[in-house]
Amino acid sequence: EPRSPWCCLAWTLVIGTMNSLVFLLNLLLMFVIFTVVLLPTIVVVYFGFQCHSQVLHSSARYCRSILDDNSSSALIILGFVIMSPLIVVAMAIYCSLARRLRLLMCFQPYSLALYKGGGWCRRGEGGPCCARGCNTQLKAWV
């Protein structure tokens, strides 16, 4: 049966807030995974740009004694070359983790705000966001 207008508005806000939190959780997880996996590329490109005389030309001891312009250019090129495979690895790690944790099943449809008795999970889903033992038999009529 349809909900009252105020109840529908309240449920819409609850579902919208929950979907926003799930989206932010997915975004945070993706940011952490990409940062950890791409850390070697970040470090190599950073040192390459820091020690190159045409870019930053740092006066650090390792820039004067170890890295010249040719080796700094090599670091920059190496960093950008290894970036592509590491992005693929990071995306594969995120996708497998999201599938294992069933994070994409935590999004709830807005139709739950319109009608009573919909439950918080759908048939065949046992993700972490669905209530355990919820009634999967929906009423089609009253």
Side-chain angles (χ1 to χ4, degrees):
E1 70 185 74
R3 295 184 192 272
S4 68
W6 290 107
C7 185
C8 182
L9 179 65
W11 275 102
T12 301
L13 291 175
V14 168
I15 291 171
T17 304
M18 182 179 156
N19 285 344
S20 297
L21 289 175
V22 169
F23 174 75
L24 290 175
L25 176 73
N26 278 310
L27 200 64
L28 178 69
L29 181 67
M30 186 182 295
F31 177 75
V32 168
I33 289 173
F34 272 76
T35 302
V36 169
V37 172
L38 291 176
L39 192 61
T41 298
I42 294 168
V43 170
V44 167
V45 170
Y46 172 75
F47 281 119
F49 277 124
Q50 185 181 17
C51 295
H52 199 279
S53 66
Q54 299 293 325
V55 184
L56 293 177
H57 194 57
S58 176
S59 61
R61 188 173 70 80
Y62 57 85
C63 286
R64 286 181 278 134
S65 63
I66 299 174
L67 296 174
D68 59 350
D69 280 350
N70 291 334
S71 59
S72 296
S73 297
L75 282 178
I76 294 169
I77 293 169
L78 175 69
F80 283 114
V81 166
I82 65 173
M83 185 185 299
S84 296
L86 289 180
I87 288 175
V88 172
V89 169
M91 197 64 199
I93 291 171
Y94 169 73
C95 288
S96 67
L97 192 60
R99 180 181 294 153
R100 183 170 293 139
L101 296 177
R102 297 182 179 195
L103 292 178
L104 300 176
M105 290 185 182
C106 294
F107 290 106
Q108 297 297 324
Y110 284 103
S111 63
L112 291 176
L114 299 176
Y115 299 102
K116 294 180 183 177
W120 280 99
C121 62
R122 293 178 288 273
R123 184 178 305 271
E125 293 181 4
C129 298
C130 294
R132 296 290 176 202
C134 83
N135 188 8
T136 58
Q137 296 178 355
L138 299 177
K139 290 183 181 179
W141 59 90
V142 178

